[in-house]
Amino acid sequence: MAQYYTDFSEYPAGQIPHDWTRRRDLALAWEVVEDPAATGGKLLRHPAKGSNTQSILTWDKVDGDPDRANVEILLRFRYLTANNGSIYAWVRDASTASAATGYRLGDAYTASAIGIIGKYVNASYSNVYSAGAGAIRAVNVWAFVRA
């Protein structure tokens, strides 16, 4: 199994990473920003969005790997403001502009659980696992989710 890592330090600030593809909610302006608190000094910022919209960005390097069937993801994130949004990393994604397909793991700001893993098949969602109490409902607190 190949290993991939980025802390976004190799990408220019103010732009979407050149080797990533927007899969859903294409109007949103993802961008790399400088942040001294981030590993490597940069991070990928997800813009504010409307409720119940999915904005999916995938890394082309992983999408093109034929040996990507088994994955382990470590997601480090923080909320910059109190909100009703969620932060998820997507794997084995085949989403289109009209339907999500893939696995996701992360945190829902308004939920009671962290470590949520779910599966979408042609926009139909099913929960795979929730770690239980402990959702990150704090601003500017770094959190990790691994699956």
Side-chain angles (χ1 to χ4, degrees):
M1 177 170 56
Q3 294 185 2
Y4 298 96
Y5 170 83
T6 185
D7 58 13
F8 300 98
S9 63
E10 70 272 27
Y11 298 102
Q15 300 177 20
I16 186 171
H18 62 84
D19 57 348
W20 291 62
T21 300
R22 290 186 287 180
R23 301 271 178 209
R24 304 266 318 201
D25 213 355
L26 304 181
L28 291 178
W30 291 81
E31 67 176 336
V32 173
V33 296
E34 294 185 17
D35 185 330
T39 303
K42 292 182 182 175
L43 54 80
L44 180 64
R45 175 151 304 148
H46 180 270
K49 62 185 185 86
S51 62
N52 205 27
T53 60
Q54 296 170 335
S55 181
I56 300 172
L57 189 67
T58 61
W59 197 2
D60 300 343
K61 187 183 294 189
V62 177
D63 287 348
D65 184 348
D67 189 34
R68 70 181 190 279
N70 297 312
V71 298
E72 178 181 6
I73 300 282
L74 173 63
L75 173 65
R76 180 178 185 234
F77 65 94
R78 69 179 174 181
Y79 293 102
L80 295 177
T81 61
N83 63 47
N84 293 324
S86 304
I87 297 175
Y88 293 101
W90 286 74
V91 295
R92 299 186 69 186
D93 184 73
S95 295
T96 64
S98 60
T101 298
Y103 291 88
R104 70 178 194 181
L105 69 116
D107 179 66
Y109 192 88
T110 57
S112 60
I114 189 171
I116 300 167
I117 302 171
K119 178 174 88 170
Y120 277 90
V121 176
N122 199 22
S124 179
Y125 178 78
S126 60
N127 192 54
V128 175
Y129 176 79
S130 290
I136 305 302
R137 291 189 183 145
V139 174
N140 259 345
V141 174
W142 288 103
F144 295 87
V145 176
R146 179 188 300 266

